[in-house]
Amino acid sequence: MDSLTWALLITGGVGVALLVIALVLGEILNLGHVDADGPFSLPAIAAFVGGAGFIGALAASLLPDGITGGGRVVASVGIGLVGATPLAYGAIRLTRGLMGMRTDGTLTDTDLLGAQGTVITAIPGTGYGEVRLTVGGHQLKYSARAPEPLPAGTPVFVTDALSATAVEVVSTAFDR
């Protein structure tokens, strides 16, 4: 392997090192403003440097031996730079997609109001039983009280959130 290929492989390794630093240190090392995004973000620079190095090294090793001197260097570096551009663009898009990814909010008491579920442990006239509620697509178990006794299996509707783990429910069964 010649010195040009080694130099380009080392450049690619520097890009990988920058990517690892970007993953470990996050946005601390972005160039310019802390919220730097796009082509000046560290992941984009790392993808560009790494892609230019590795693609350039591949080109240097595949170019015919007939190309000598500065022509081989210019061709290898040029191919590396052209090949690295889509990688940097992909890193920008991926970073933006991950940063802007929608996440579900934290469940609050108001999310429980109106939730429907089923009594899983009978609710006595005084005291608590247990209900399984479907909230935000998740099945959750809560302690529950009701204004009247409810047997297990009764469909219920949440009328109040008493605490983080308890709700007040009413029956929605038709045969009452």
Side-chain angles (χ1 to χ4, degrees):
M1 200 175 314
D2 64 356
S3 60
L4 174 62
T5 304
W6 275 110
L8 290 170
L9 284 174
I10 290 170
T11 302
V14 169
V16 170
L18 286 174
L19 184 60
V20 170
I21 290 169
L23 291 174
V24 172
L25 298 179
E27 297 179 5
I28 293 173
L29 296 177
N30 279 341
L31 299 178
H33 193 267
V34 173
D35 292 331
D37 192 12
F40 299 107
S41 66
L42 194 53
I45 293 169
F48 188 78
V49 171
F54 290 128
I55 293 171
L58 179 65
S61 66
L62 295 177
L63 285 175
D65 292 335
I67 301 174
T68 58
R72 189 161 185 261
V73 171
V74 169
S76 298
V77 171
I79 290 170
L81 292 175
V82 170
T85 302
L87 292 175
Y89 179 74
I92 292 167
R93 298 282 301 181
L94 180 64
T95 303
R96 283 185 181 160
L98 291 174
M99 297 297 280
M101 184 170 52
R102 185 175 162 238
T103 58
D104 292 339
T106 303
L107 187 64
T108 63
D109 292 348
T110 57
D111 295 325
L112 295 174
L113 298 177
Q116 296 184 358
T118 305
V119 176
I120 55 175
T121 302
I123 300 173
T126 58
Y128 288 88
E130 290 181 319
V131 293
R132 178 169 290 129
L133 304 174
T134 302
V135 181
H138 299 281
Q139 298 252 333
L140 304 170
K141 189 170 80 172
Y142 284 88
S143 295
R145 72 177 186 193
E148 59 188 344
L150 298 175
T154 304
V156 293
F157 177 83
V158 175
T159 59
D160 194 11
L162 304 173
S163 71
T165 59
V167 293
E168 183 163 336
V169 296
V170 294
S171 172
T172 58
F174 290 113
D175 60 344
R176 296 181 27 120

